Amino acid sequence: MKISYLKDNIHLTIYSYWSWWFEASNKQDEISRAILTVSIVVFMFLWYKWSFSSSKTSDQLPLPPGPRGLPILGYLPFLQPDLHKHYTQLAHRYGPIFKIWLGTKLYVIVSSSELAKTVVRDQDQVFANRDPPIAALAITYGGINIVWSNNGPYWRKMRKVLVHEVLSNANLDACRGYRRDEVSKSIKDLYTKIGTKVNINEIAFFTELNVITSMLWGSTYVEGEKTGNLGAEYRVMVFKIIELLGAPNVSDFFPILARFDLQGVDRVMKREWAKIDLILDQIIEERIRSNASRSKEMADKERSKDFLQTLLDLKEQNDAAKSFNFTQMKALLMCILGLNLLSAYQDIAIGGTDTTATMVEWVMAEILDHPEVMKKVQDELSQVVGMDNTLEESHLPKLHYLDAVIKETFRLHPTLPLLTPRCPNQSCTVGGYTVPKGAIVFLNVWAIHRDPEKWENSSEFFPERFLNYNEDNTMWFFPFGSGRRMCPGIPLAEKMLVYMLASLLHAFKWSVPLDEELDLFEKFGIVMKKRKPLILVPSLRYHHDY
């Protein structure tokens, strides 16, 4: 019975992940399938030869334990859709650090706060590199952005430019008006939709998109004369990029086959990249022409008002430590836009459009599921802001309970449940096991945030736990990652998230439509979304002059 079930499970899993392979519809598909078939035979021979030789010559500490897989395919046929939960189950069986082979790649999954601290703090230098998937390389000019470039002089230069030049306190303060204006527009629009159904993710997405593009080049993405009304198209592109980043790709598991692009992931991702690249080219060229036609006094007056001008000024400098070319500039802009969605929130996340919208949705869902929490949040807003006043960014540091609600939501629903994979630049030891050079290391932050040994009633939504939370150099809570690859834009990301949520909750009461059902089910992906969009009905709480 168990053997029959196992066979059925293998068959269904393989078909689910690789149905594209069995459905050859033309001669090119048949040729590609023949290439892979021959390659599998070659891989099988090499795999057995490598396994035999490595078992005889290794005098290091053993590799972490883990489930057995099939020759060549490894554990691929046994993976379950919700990887964060599946990895948590495997951790219960094999321990807080275990390995799996996926094709020719070795993956190591860490699921405890103690071992996570070893990776991102004690051995941060060793684990500071990346192993970009094909889809990520396609959307980031070959991996030259901050998220996917390896630790080294180039990465340090780009990060320094982003942190000290682009995201400086002066620049962030100069952009305060953009954030206020775009949130105000969204609230005014919601006043016209009182009593009707609204999609929370959609509202948050377009508000965030306009905020970010305003900070980047001084006008909203949907208002630009050159780009037209492309907000909806951009949202479609973002969802397509997320889908491609999260899709299993044979080229990632068998790098020798990458040149064939058997699933077309590289081709499709580059097509999406070309659309964004064209828009960025148009915006940069327009700014250069505009600068050329302005007086020096006018240009100097406006240079600090958006990030694009800051980058253009840096490009013209002779300082090799700060200047860079147009391709590197566009890679930075794409990061800031949140287009590198595999790490948009974790590594640079100045509020990547999709990740922030997703967190607004999760926070609102949890608040609606806990009416007593909503009352406490709105009572705090009434006390801090006042019933007759408009919410300003200056109020945000005083919203302690809302901050605790957001942190508790990040604990239960981390935007990137496995964070961004790390790749050690040399073999090292973690938890008494060898992690070989080049292995791909995931930190299962979803499991760490729900560890019952660290969190009382770990599966319950209880914001009060964060009112007096003290990290004390632990690694119990790190939704943005940690170490040198940690997000440099956390202050701005949190500010934008809190500002948007506080504005929505200060101006309106919210309820679930009678014909809708509130659920908190997850849909695993690179960005962990709700399974169903959150549809709510706003009603007037206070009317303010936004």
Side-chain angles (χ1 to χ4, degrees), residues 105-401:
K105 293 287 189 73
L106 175 64
Y107 290 74
V108 175
I109 293 84
V110 173
S111 303
S112 76
S113 56
E114 292 79 9
L115 296 186
K117 181 175 179 292
T118 300
V119 171
V120 301
R121 293 189 182 174
D122 300 343
Q123 301 191 59
D124 186 27
Q125 174 75 26
V126 174
F127 286 94
N129 284 344
R130 302 295 198 199
D131 182 29
I134 298 297
L137 290 174
I139 199 66
T140 61
Y141 301 91
I144 66 170
N145 70 348
I146 294 175
V147 177
W148 289 113
S149 57
N150 281 331
N151 180 40
Y154 171 77
W155 176 81
R156 289 191 290 271
K157 168 186 169 181
M158 295 293 279
R159 181 181 172 88
K160 184 176 181 180
V161 167
L162 180 65
V163 173
H164 297 292
E165 303 292 341
V166 179
L167 294 180
S168 66
N169 289 333
N171 276 348
L172 295 186
D173 288 342
C175 294
R176 183 189 300 261
Y178 293 135
R179 299 190 290 275
R180 182 185 61 246
D181 291 347
E182 295 307 323
V183 171
S184 175
K185 289 178 185 178
S186 295
I187 297 300
K188 288 179 179 178
D189 183 61
L190 279 171
Y191 279 136
T192 68
K193 299 177 180 178
I194 293 291
T196 64
K197 296 180 183 180
V198 297
N199 185 317
I200 295 298
N201 183 280
E202 188 174 282
I203 292 170
F205 182 93
F206 288 119
T207 303
E208 193 69 22
L209 175 60
N210 286 341
V211 168
I212 290 177
T213 54
S214 293
M215 290 190 298
L216 282 175
W217 47 72
S219 64
T220 66
Y221 179 80
V222 297
E223 291 177 349
E225 180 180 350
K226 295 294 182 181
T227 59
N229 187 12
L230 298 178
E233 292 183 25
Y234 175 84
R235 192 164 182 252
V236 171
M237 283 189 286
V238 168
F239 289 164
K240 183 64 176 178
I241 290 169
I242 292 176
E243 178 185 343
L244 291 170
L245 285 170
N249 186 2
V250 67
S251 297
D252 292 324
F253 304 126
F254 302 96
I256 197 172
L257 299 177
R259 59 179 299 183
F260 301 109
D261 191 23
L262 297 173
Q263 292 168 256
V265 171
D266 186 53
R267 181 179 67 256
V268 176
M269 186 63 96
K270 285 179 178 177
R271 185 176 65 205
E272 299 302 317
W273 160 82
K275 299 175 185 176
I276 307 297
D277 186 67
L278 177 61
I279 293 171
L280 292 178
D281 279 338
Q282 292 174 340
I283 291 171
I284 292 172
E285 290 171 4
E286 176 64 25
R287 174 59 61 86
I288 292 174
R289 286 195 296 270
S290 177
N291 286 346
S293 64
R294 294 177 182 176
S295 65
K296 184 179 185 302
E297 291 76 17
M298 180 65 71
D300 290 340
K301 182 179 179 180
E302 297 185 358
R303 275 179 179 172
S304 63
K305 292 187 178 181
D306 62 52
F307 295 164
L308 175 58
Q309 191 60 54
T310 299
L311 292 174
L312 286 171
D313 289 346
L314 290 172
K315 182 182 179 299
E316 298 304 319
Q317 293 184 10
N318 294 323
D319 186 353
K322 295 181 179 180
S323 63
F324 41 86
N325 59 39
F326 276 115
T327 300
Q328 294 167 342
M329 180 191 299
K330 288 189 290 184
L332 261 180
L333 290 173
M334 277 197 174
C335 273
I336 298 172
L337 267 170
L339 288 175
N340 196 322
L341 293 170
L342 184 58
S343 294
Y345 209 96
Q346 176 198 346
D347 278 59
I348 44 86
I350 65 165
T353 49
D354 187 71
T355 49
T356 301
T358 296
M359 286 314 300
V360 168
E361 192 175 28
W362 275 118
V363 173
M364 292 293 287
E366 286 287 3
I367 288 177
L368 264 293
D369 195 49
H370 298 83
E372 73 282 2
V373 173
M374 176 179 284
K375 184 179 185 306
K376 291 180 181 180
V377 170
Q378 293 187 322
D379 286 348
E380 180 181 62
L381 284 165
S382 297
Q383 181 180 356
V384 172
V385 182
M387 294 187 297
D388 300 321
N389 296 329
T390 300
L391 180 76
E392 299 288 348
E393 282 193 4
S394 58
H395 293 122
L396 302 186
K398 303 173 185 178
L399 300 176
H400 303 297
Y401 189 73

Side-chain angles (χ1 to χ4, degrees), residues 498-525:
V498 177
Y499 191 23
M500 194 179 310
L501 282 166
S503 298
L504 293 174
L505 292 165
H506 185 48
F508 305 101
K509 298 177 182 178
W510 297 90
S511 60
V512 180
L514 295 178
D515 58 344
E516 296 280 347
E517 183 177 349
L518 179 67
D519 72 63
L520 296 172
F521 293 109
E522 303 164 343
K523 180 181 179 182
F524 178 81

